[in-house]
Every structure is written in C-alpha cells, then in structure tokens.
Amino acid sequence: MNILVINGPNLNMLGIREPDLYGKEDYAALVALVEETCAQEGIQVEVFQSNHEGAIVDKIQGAYGKFDGIVINPAAYTHTSVAILDALKAVSLPAVEVHISDVSQREDFRQVSYAGMACIKTYMGLGLEGYRQAILSLKAHLQNH
Ligand code: DQA
C-alpha cells in the first residue's frame, strides 16, 4: 500500500502560525507523525507540501497509477479550489480530507469544502491526530475495496 499525503498553503508554518488554532507542533512534527504511523501500519508514504494551487493539482494528477490513495489537507484552497476538486475526481483515487482545526466552528467562508466533495471521509478539529485517523481510515478503505 502506497499513499500520498498532501498539505496545502501555510501548513509549512505550523508551530509559528496561529498556535491557538493549529497547535505548537511544527511541520516537521507533522511529517514525523505521518511517517511513524505509516511505518507502523506497513504503508509506504510520500508527504508533499505546497503553497501553490497548480503544484497541488500537478501532484494529484501525478498520483494516478502511482499511489493507492490520498490524504489531503488543502488548507485555504479547501474553500476555493474547484481545480483541486476536479483533479481528485480526475484520478479517482480514494481520498480522505483532514483539517487540524474544527472548520465547522469557524467563519462562514470556511463552511464549504470543494475537495471534501471528492473525499470518502473528513477529520477535523483533532489537531495532528487527525492525520493518523485519516491514514487508518484510508488503509481500512483500501483493504475493503
Ligand atoms: C485548515 C483550515 C483552513 O480553513 C485553513 O485555511 C488552513 C488550515 C486546517 O487544517 O484546520 O490553512 O485546513
């Protein structure tokens, strides 16, 4: 099993960026948690972060035929990017959406998730633990399909 974890804009600023919302752990800690979880679960993983919408679209397209599934936190592009939604639909790989904060309790403009429309499940408000849950849920889905 080979999965791709994608993180969108400003997630590289974890630890510095709004710690009350996103916690004090930095991006390296997030990558370590993902890699440790995948190693424990016998999953191969690549972790990708970009601040650029087109780079994320390119990465999703490149996942076709290469990865079995995707965990994605599109960050602010969650609420704006039809291009990321269309890319997820184009490759048709099972995808799980993660948000560190509980977006359901935040501003109105965060209440729509385009990428989420192409995802089998969403985890939000669990902090970095949400990535672990997303990986476990993607693994279970891949084993059952
Ligand atoms: C986020 C929530 C988004 O609304 C925000 O733009 C982010 C991070 C989260 O992980 O909670 O950058 O995706």
Side-chain angles (χ1 to χ4, degrees), residues 9-11 17 22 73-76 78-79 98-103 106 110 131:
N10 301 306
L11 290 168
R17 146 183 218 217
Y22 300 115
N73 182 350
T78 305
H79 319 298
V98 186
H99 298 288
I100 295 166
S101 65
D102 184 357
V103 283
R106 297 182 62 191
R110 295 186 205 272
Y131 285 83

Side-chain angles (χ1 to χ4, degrees), residues 19 21 40 57:
L21 271 175
Q40 280 163 8
V57 169

Side-chain angles (χ1 to χ4, degrees), residues 44-91:
Q44 281 185 276
V45 67
E46 179 181 333
V47 188
F48 174 80
Q49 191 275 331
S50 178
N51 295 324
H52 305 277
E53 184 177 18
I56 295 170
V57 169
D58 286 344
K59 196 70 190 178
I60 294 168
Q61 288 185 8
Y64 183 74
K66 194 171 162 201
F67 292 96
D68 302 309
I70 297 173
V71 169
I72 185 163
N73 182 350
Y77 290 139
T78 305
H79 319 298
T80 61
S81 181
V82 177
I84 290 175
L85 167 63
D86 284 350
L88 289 170
K89 284 177 149 178
V91 297

Side-chain angles (χ1 to χ4, degrees), residues 71-134:
V71 169
I72 185 163
N73 182 350
Y77 290 139
T78 305
H79 319 298
T80 61
S81 181
V82 177
I84 290 175
L85 167 63
D86 284 350
L88 289 170
K89 284 177 149 178
V91 297
S92 195
L93 288 168
V96 177
E97 178 185 22
V98 186
H99 298 288
I100 295 166
S101 65
D102 184 357
V103 283
S104 74
Q105 300 301 312
R106 297 182 62 191
E107 302 93 329
D108 286 352
F109 64 83
R110 295 186 205 272
Q111 298 313 309
V112 66
S113 169
Y114 290 104
M117 295 172 194
C119 291
I120 53 177
K121 205 158 181 166
T122 298
Y123 291 91
M124 60 173 76
L126 301 176
L128 300 191
E129 167 66 16
Y131 285 83
R132 209 176 69 82
Q133 297 293 327

